[in-house]
Amino acid sequence: MTNPIADPIVEVPDTDAMSPLVHIDSTPEGAVTVWINRPEKKNAFDGETIAALAQAFETLHGAEGVRVVFLRGVGGTFCAGADLEWMAAAAEWDEDDNRADALELARMLKALHDVPALTVALVEGAAFGGGAGLVAACDHALATADAKFAFSEVKLGLTPATISPYVIAALGPRTSKLLFATGRVFDADAAWSYGLVDEVFDDVEGLVAAQDALIEEVVLCAPGAIGDAKALVNDFAFEKIDRGLIDDSARRIARRRVSEEGQEGVRAFLAKRKPNWA
């Protein structure tokens, strides 16, 4: 199919077969919104929803021209965590079955983390358990002031194991221990102070305005360079600055300088014109 994101330059996999549990919107500027579409369940996870999200994120790995991916819940709730019926079924499974099921969630979160474009959670209502894990797995998070968050697994005798790598990376070990061990519910201002959320807005209108402003920013940036810039952070964060890292950083910028985007960007700047991706 013709790519609705960067037509006519590239093509992406056909998304017509996507599950109704997940809906994808895209704009010509390369802005994509992935909607969790279970409003009657407050967008809670079950096995089918996890699979649908994984498919959406994996599809976006190969979608050239995408600059930013927003993740949002239909109906005013981001994601209320695990579906109760799904949890009841899991309680009857043995350890091997539960491990296989948990791996699907872990792989979905990794697929989100690895999307090359900038990923942004737009949080309204509840973001509990795995829903808060989705927020942590995104690169950036915006929330309405009335949003609520919790890592409530310990109240069920469980732990937030599959989401923990992303939460710890976002919040740090000390805060993660507190929130994991207490299961406390906290508001958007607290989420901002903890580092889970980057900006808080009074209402949905403010959230959408911030989304539009972010799209205006990224439309000026080369899609491939955005992905490579994200990779710098993922690969270099907390690494020792030694000869190997220095050499790797030099290789990466050299590759960018001779790339089609790098050549176009520099030439456009020198000619005082917009690059062809803007």
Side-chain angles (χ1 to χ4, degrees), residues 19-22 38 44-55 86 101:
S19 166
L21 299 171
V22 172
R38 295 188 82 206
F45 286 145
D46 63 4
E48 291 181 357
T49 307
I50 290 168
L53 283 168
Q55 181 186 358
W86 181 52
D101 184 71

Side-chain angles (χ1 to χ4, degrees), residues 42-176:
K42 297 189 181 298
N43 299 316
F45 286 145
D46 63 4
E48 291 181 357
T49 307
I50 290 168
L53 283 168
Q55 181 186 358
F57 300 144
E58 288 163 4
T59 296
L60 290 169
H61 289 187
E64 297 180 45
V66 177
R67 292 172 168 89
V68 59
V69 175
F70 299 97
L71 181 59
R72 193 173 180 187
V74 172
T77 297
F78 183 74
C79 176
D83 179 273
L84 294 179
E85 293 180 6
W86 181 52
M87 290 175 61
E92 302 301 322
W93 299 338
D94 63 21
E95 184 173 344
D96 287 341
D97 289 336
N98 270 288
R99 180 177 181 276
D101 184 71
L103 274 173
E104 295 303 313
L105 175 57
R107 288 166 178 157
M108 181 270 284
L109 291 165
K110 185 65 162 59
L112 170 58
H113 177 270
D114 289 348
V115 170
L118 183 71
T119 55
V120 183
L122 300 177
V123 186
E124 309 166 64
F128 292 163
L134 284 174
V135 178
C138 286
D139 303 317
H140 192 59
L142 312 175
T144 56
D146 59 355
K148 301 294 182 184
F149 304 81
F151 303 102
S152 50
E153 287 83 355
V154 290
K155 293 183 177 180
L156 303 174
L158 306 175
T159 61
T162 50
I163 66 174
S164 62
Y166 311 99
V167 179
I168 295 167
L171 277 64
R174 189 183 182 106
T175 300
S176 298

Side-chain angles (χ1 to χ4, degrees), residues 137-224:
C138 286
D139 303 317
H140 192 59
L142 312 175
T144 56
D146 59 355
K148 301 294 182 184
F149 304 81
F151 303 102
S152 50
E153 287 83 355
V154 290
K155 293 183 177 180
L156 303 174
L158 306 175
T159 61
T162 50
I163 66 174
S164 62
Y166 311 99
V167 179
I168 295 167
L171 277 64
R174 189 183 182 106
T175 300
S176 298
K177 288 176 185 178
L178 173 69
L179 298 179
F180 286 176
T182 62
R184 69 168 56 161
V185 176
F186 52 98
D187 63 16
D189 286 337
W192 175 82
S193 71
Y194 295 146
L196 182 61
V197 163
D198 301 290
E199 295 182 76
V200 178
F201 301 90
D202 290 338
D203 49 33
V204 175
E205 288 74 17
L207 192 71
V208 172
Q211 178 184 17
D212 292 341
L214 190 52
I215 292 171
E216 290 182 6
E217 284 189 275
V218 298
V219 75
L220 302 176
C221 306

